[in-house]
Amino acid sequence: GIIDDIKHKGLHFSHKFLFQFAAAVFLISYGIRIEFIKPEWFGWVVTLLWVIGISNALNIIDIMDGLSGGTALIAALAFFFIGVPGEEQIYVNFVSIGLAGALLGFLPYNLSRRFKIFMGDAGSLFVGLTLAATALGTRYTQSNNLGVLSPIMILAVPIFDTLFVMVVRYIKRLSPFLGSKDHFALRLRAVGCSDKGILLRACLAGIVLLFAAFVVSKTESATIAGAIYLFFAAAIYLLAVYLYRIKI
């Protein structure tokens, strides 16, 4: 990330993937991986995709001051609240609250006009990697098996933007690795939303998803958990249709 920020034209995406692959392998070698997927080798593959995907998702959404940092802050707090008072993977509690504190210190400068600090690839890729690893350290199925999908709900905002952009680029027959104006934030800006309004909407969505993920991971009713997933899946689909119809 630092090299990409320093270089005038940045790194080629293949070089970025190489470093992200190495970082994911490093995590797996220390036992930080998806354990419920069998056979074990397939769990490793899914872990690699998760770590690389979330790292890039936080990087992709970093197109507006406060957007990546704000959604990451909410996600870090979500992992902390769900992980407490678990003692099996105690690192989750320390890493999540530490990351939340760092983001709280960063955001005022990221949003400031006078003392501007940008997250850049160095920050967004690191934050994404940290959240991806933190998500793997908490047991979500102690109350019901559907709780295993809670991390996807917690990180739904950056995941949605990444998948939405990739699908739109595919429809346009463009490479998913090239930059474009298809991000949800830029489409909302095209219909008159201010940057502060977009940031507020994204953070409110993250907070709602935080509480939904908490309920899903703690309720003993699989029916309630399933109903929550279905509701948000329908809402996300309708949002995607609305955003796609915006001309940019």
Side-chain angles (χ1 to χ4, degrees):
I2 293 173
I3 296 172
D4 187 76
D5 288 335
I6 293 175
K7 288 190 66 174
H8 177 64
K9 294 184 179 180
L11 286 174
H12 192 268
F13 67 84
S14 61
H15 297 153
K16 289 184 180 181
F17 281 139
L18 178 62
F19 281 103
Q20 292 162 10
F21 177 84
V25 171
F26 185 80
L27 287 173
I28 293 172
S29 69
Y30 276 86
I32 302 175
R33 58 182 177 81
I34 297 173
E35 298 180 356
F36 70 91
I37 295 179
K38 305 298 180 182
E40 190 175 80
W41 66 266
F42 188 58
W44 295 349
V45 172
V46 177
T47 301
L48 285 169
L49 293 175
W50 170 259
V51 173
I52 293 172
I54 297 303
S55 297
N56 282 288
L58 269 295
N59 177 236
I60 288 171
I61 203 175
D62 187 30
I63 56 172
M64 187 178 293
D65 291 342
L67 191 56
S68 183
T71 54
L73 169 61
I74 295 168
L77 291 174
F79 289 128
F80 175 74
F81 290 134
I82 292 176
V84 172
E87 297 178 358
E88 294 181 355
Q89 296 286 1
I90 195 68
Y91 81 86
V92 170
N93 300 338
F94 290 105
V95 172
S96 56
I97 202 66
L99 179 62
L103 289 166
L104 277 173
F106 163 78
L107 281 170
Y109 293 94
N110 186 223
L111 296 171
S112 171
R113 292 186 177 181
R114 290 186 59 193
F115 307 105
K116 179 70 68 178
I117 298 177
F118 294 103
M119 182 173 283
D121 278 29
S124 59
L125 290 174
F126 170 76
V127 170
L129 174 69
T130 305
L131 288 174
T134 304
L136 300 175
T138 298
R139 295 185 181 275
Y140 305 94
T141 57
Q142 293 177 332
S143 300
N144 72 86
N145 290 332
L146 291 178
V148 73
L149 299 177
S150 295
I152 297 176
M153 182 171 283
I154 292 170
L155 293 165
V157 174
I159 290 174
F160 169 79
D161 190 51
T162 301
L163 294 178
F164 179 77
V165 169
M166 291 181 69
V167 170
V168 172
R169 289 175 184 172
Y170 174 79
I171 293 173
K172 293 180 178 180
R173 296 183 179 181
L174 299 172
S175 170
F177 303 111
L178 297 177
S180 73
K181 296 182 180 180
D182 295 310
H183 300 272
F184 79 85
L186 300 182
R187 285 176 176 263
L188 290 176
R189 182 189 282 171
V191 293
C193 288
S194 65
D195 287 5
K196 289 184 178 179
I198 295 168
L199 177 59
L200 179 62
R201 287 172 172 80
C203 289
L204 285 176
I207 293 171
V208 171
L209 290 163
L210 181 162
F211 285 107
F214 184 83
V215 172
V216 165
S217 65
K218 300 301 182 182
T219 182
E220 295 182 356
S221 172
T223 302
I224 294 176
I228 291 174
Y229 285 133
L230 287 174
F231 172 80
F232 280 100
I236 289 171
Y237 173 77
L238 293 174
L239 176 62
V241 171
Y242 167 74
L243 291 171
Y244 181 71
R245 291 177 178 175
I246 297 174
K247 295 182 185 277
I248 56 173

